[in-house]
Amino acid sequence: MSDAAWMEQIKYDEQGLVPAIVQDAASKEVLMLAYMNRESLAKTLETRQTWFWSRSRGELWNKGATSGHTQEVVSLKYDCDGDTLLVAVKQNGPACHTGAYSCFYRGETGENAGQAPQDRFAPLANLETTIAQRDAERPEGSYTTYLFEKGLDKILKKIGEETAEVIIAGKNRDAKELQAEAADLIFHLMVLLREQRIPLDNVMDELEFRHRKPVKKD
């Protein structure tokens, strides 16, 4: 479908606007809500950078044009009614003007309220979000910040070191040490995935594919 035909599916409100939910394509975290009109949506499709309509200023604005915290569009979807957009992006730096990774950092009990795990794999999802936050906000004194600022070679070196520690713990049959070192290895692998902008979902999909793949018989 062409961009023009795609845009014809969108239903704007009486002000000519449609809400756009912006999501980190890697962590799946919802980053912000803004509004687009026909012109800003066309520019978003054309440039693959997010453009919105400022209701307060009455003008178009390109996210990150001033701050440098740009959003590279990965995909655009509209909902079943065609009156809401979902924009998946590669987020550079914080999405919120406050410097927070996401604009949605306030929970029911106060700021930065955590979410209760919903299943046994929730810690992985929570860790992915935390790593994405550290990448975007770069808080001083954070070990994750240190890794991102040192760069790819440092991250890979740590993965090598943690892999060796896992091997040693396994060889020694030290269950407590093995689970601790395995956790360290998983953490550093997830930092690498974030550095490469690869969602954890992609790894899960690969595992699911392998699980369902027919076993070849000799």
Side-chain angles (χ1 to χ4, degrees):
M1 183 184 297
S2 68
D3 287 352
W6 193 92
M7 288 181 61
E8 290 304 316
Q9 310 304 311
I10 307 305
K11 298 176 183 177
Y12 302 91
D13 64 17
E14 62 276 5
Q15 297 177 305
L17 302 175
V18 59
I21 300 166
V22 182
Q23 178 188 46
D24 188 314
S27 72
K28 308 304 180 185
E29 184 82 359
V30 174
L31 299 176
M32 57 182 284
L33 170 67
Y35 290 83
M36 292 185 180
N37 60 9
R38 184 177 293 272
E39 184 181 0
S40 64
L41 177 55
K43 289 182 74 67
T44 297
L45 287 166
E46 177 187 357
T47 65
R48 308 307 293 181
Q49 298 285 325
T50 51
W51 286 79
F52 304 105
W53 176 258
S54 172
R55 294 175 297 169
S56 60
R57 300 193 304 272
E59 62 182 15
L60 291 176
W61 61 285
N62 175 208
K63 175 65 176 175
T66 302
S67 66
H69 302 153
T70 56
Q71 295 172 341
E72 179 184 342
V73 176
V74 174
S75 68
L76 272 155
K77 299 178 182 178
Y78 53 85
D79 72 347
C80 55
D81 296 319
D83 59 5
T84 305
L85 300 174
L86 178 62
V87 190
V89 302
K90 289 183 179 179
Q91 176 67 45
N92 297 308
C96 184
H97 73 280
T98 63
Y101 163 59
S102 167
C103 292
F104 297 95
Y105 58 83
R106 295 185 179 94
E108 292 177 279
T109 58
E111 293 190 1
N112 300 315
Q115 296 181 345
Q118 297 178 351
D119 58 56
R120 61 193 297 255
F121 295 108
L124 285 176
N126 293 338
L127 177 60
E128 184 176 36
T129 296
T130 299
I131 290 172
Q133 289 174 331
R134 298 293 186 271
D135 182 27
E137 299 171 9
R138 303 293 175 95
E140 187 176 351
S142 163
Y143 174 66
T144 313
T145 296
Y146 164 78
L147 289 175
F148 282 123
E149 292 185 345
K150 286 295 183 179
L152 180 59
D153 287 348
K154 182 63 175 180
I155 296 170
L156 294 176
K157 181 180 178 182
K158 288 300 298 181
I159 289 174
E161 292 173 357
E162 297 302 339
T163 300
E165 295 294 337
V166 167
I167 292 170
I168 293 169
K171 183 67 175 177
N172 292 338
R173 296 189 178 277
D174 187 331
K176 186 175 182 180
E177 187 68 16
L178 178 57
Q179 67 188 36
E181 296 300 343
D184 287 343
L185 177 57
I186 289 170
F187 165 76
H188 287 91
L189 280 172
M190 291 183 67
V191 171
L192 175 62
L193 290 175
R194 177 65 190 181
E195 196 276 340
Q196 303 277 313
R197 295 299 189 266
I198 298 174
L200 182 61
D201 282 355
N202 288 16
V203 179
M204 295 301 186
D205 289 344
E206 178 66 23
L207 290 172
E208 180 67 14
F209 170 77
R210 294 183 183 189
H211 173 69
R212 295 181 180 277
K213 188 176 181 180
V215 177
K216 292 183 179 180
K217 295 182 179 180
D218 294 335

